[in-house]
Amino acid sequence: MSEDPSKQYWYNIKTGAVEKGYESSVVDRVGPFETHEEAEHALETLRANSAKWAEDDAAER
């Protein structure tokens, strides 16, 4: 992820839209993603990461 984040794709969690660059408020967007398609699947990626982190935390206990 070496590209300038202001030129990458973001997922707006408030509207559900994919945006290129800093179109919306930082509190409403997640990313950056390198492609439009990756940003379209942001929620699945976030859920998968969250589940993995929860498993890792449980394994450390």
Side-chain angles (χ1 to χ4, degrees), residues 27-58:
V27 298
D28 294 330
R29 65 176 193 260
V30 294
F33 298 93
E34 292 190 21
T35 67
H36 188 276
E37 292 75 25
E38 287 177 1
E40 284 181 319
H41 298 283
L43 294 180
E44 293 99 358
T45 301
L46 293 172
R47 284 186 194 107
N49 288 345
S50 185
K52 170 93 171 74
W53 296 329
E55 288 175 19
D56 291 348
D57 287 346

Side-chain angles (χ1 to χ4, degrees), residues 12-31:
N12 184 313
I13 59 174
K14 188 173 184 180
T15 66
V18 173
E19 303 171 345
K20 187 162 187 181
Y22 301 139
E23 293 181 27
S24 60
S25 171
V26 68
V27 298
D28 294 330
R29 65 176 193 260
V30 294

